[in-house]
């Protein structure tokens, strides 16, 4: 029972892209950073006739931020090819993306499944001749919804 209530550490995770009819490429599961795992209830305002002191705020739709994935720049990646198709040919192939959080021994603790994810932004870190850092590839995806899974 020890360790079950300990908070999870954020540095052990994987990202899996599932495209219809194709097996995922294992080189595309490792990322340096994942951000944008957020959702919020958008509020609608209803004004009541004759009532000027307040308005009613009621739940509307659920809104999601974009999923942002960062990793070292690499040439040999089917995922990079998907982004090239999107931004050079305007071709979109939505996929299901699964982000899995793991404990220190590699056992999954939980996951987030992002439905119908597609690229919306792609950027490469600045190139600097005086800096010896790894070039970071940043990929941003929009999606229709996500579902948290507790394992």
């Amino acid at each position: 029972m020890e360790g079950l209530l300990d908070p999870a550490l954020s540095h052990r995770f994987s990202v899996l892209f599932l495209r219809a009819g194709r097996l995922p490429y294992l080189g595309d599961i490792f990322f340096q950073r994942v951000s944008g795992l957020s959702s919020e209830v958008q509020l609608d305002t209803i004004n009541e006739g004759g009532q000027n002191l307040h308005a009613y705020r009621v739940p509307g739709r659920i809104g999601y931020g974009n999923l942002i994935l960062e990793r070292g720049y690499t040439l040999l990646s089917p995922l990079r090819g998907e982004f090239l198709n999107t931004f050079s040919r305007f071709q979109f192939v939505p996929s299901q993306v699964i982000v899995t959080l793991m404990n220190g021994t590699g056992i999954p603790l939980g996951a987030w499944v992002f439905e119908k994810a597609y690229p919306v932004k792609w950027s490469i870190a600045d190139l600097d001749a005086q800096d010896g850092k790894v070039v970071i590839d940043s990929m941003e995806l929009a999606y229709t919804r996500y579902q948290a899974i507790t394992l």
Side-chain angles (χ1 to χ4, degrees):
M1 207 62 165
E2 181 180 336
L4 290 178
L5 298 177
D6 294 338
L9 300 178
S10 68
H11 68 286
R12 296 195 197 294
F13 60 90
S14 69
V15 179
L16 185 63
F17 284 80
L18 300 175
R19 292 177 200 89
R22 295 198 332 215
L23 292 174
Y25 176 63
L26 293 181
D28 282 335
I29 67 171
F30 300 109
F31 288 86
Q32 176 183 356
R33 175 177 294 148
V34 175
S35 59
L37 288 93
S38 66
S39 58
E40 67 178 295
V41 175
Q42 297 170 352
L43 300 175
D44 294 332
T45 302
I46 299 173
N47 294 313
E48 184 178 359
Q51 177 56 268
N52 295 326
L53 293 176
H54 69 279
Y56 295 100
R57 296 177 63 196
V58 297
R61 294 188 170 142
I62 302 292
Y64 301 102
N66 288 341
L67 181 65
I68 302 167
L69 308 171
E70 296 178 18
R71 68 176 180 185
Y73 182 80
T74 180
L75 290 174
L76 300 174
S77 160
L79 182 60
R80 184 175 184 276
E82 294 285 340
F83 272 74
L84 281 170
N85 274 339
T86 297
F87 291 105
S88 64
R89 296 187 179 117
F90 205 66
Q91 294 177 350
F92 294 85
V93 180
S95 38
Q96 188 176 51
V97 179
I98 302 171
V99 177
T100 305
L101 180 65
M102 294 171 275
N103 69 8
T105 60
I107 297 172
L109 298 173
W112 297 268
V113 179
F114 298 86
E115 299 289 338
K116 297 179 183 170
Y118 57 92
V120 293
K121 185 177 179 182
W122 190 20
S123 61
I124 308 297
D126 293 342
L127 304 176
D128 185 348
Q130 296 183 10
D131 194 3
K133 293 181 182 177
V134 172
V135 176
I136 299 298
D137 201 358
S138 181
M139 304 171 172
E140 195 164 329
L141 303 158
Y143 51 91
T144 56
R145 67 182 293 255
Y146 83 86
Q147 181 70 42
I149 300 172
T150 305
L151 303 174

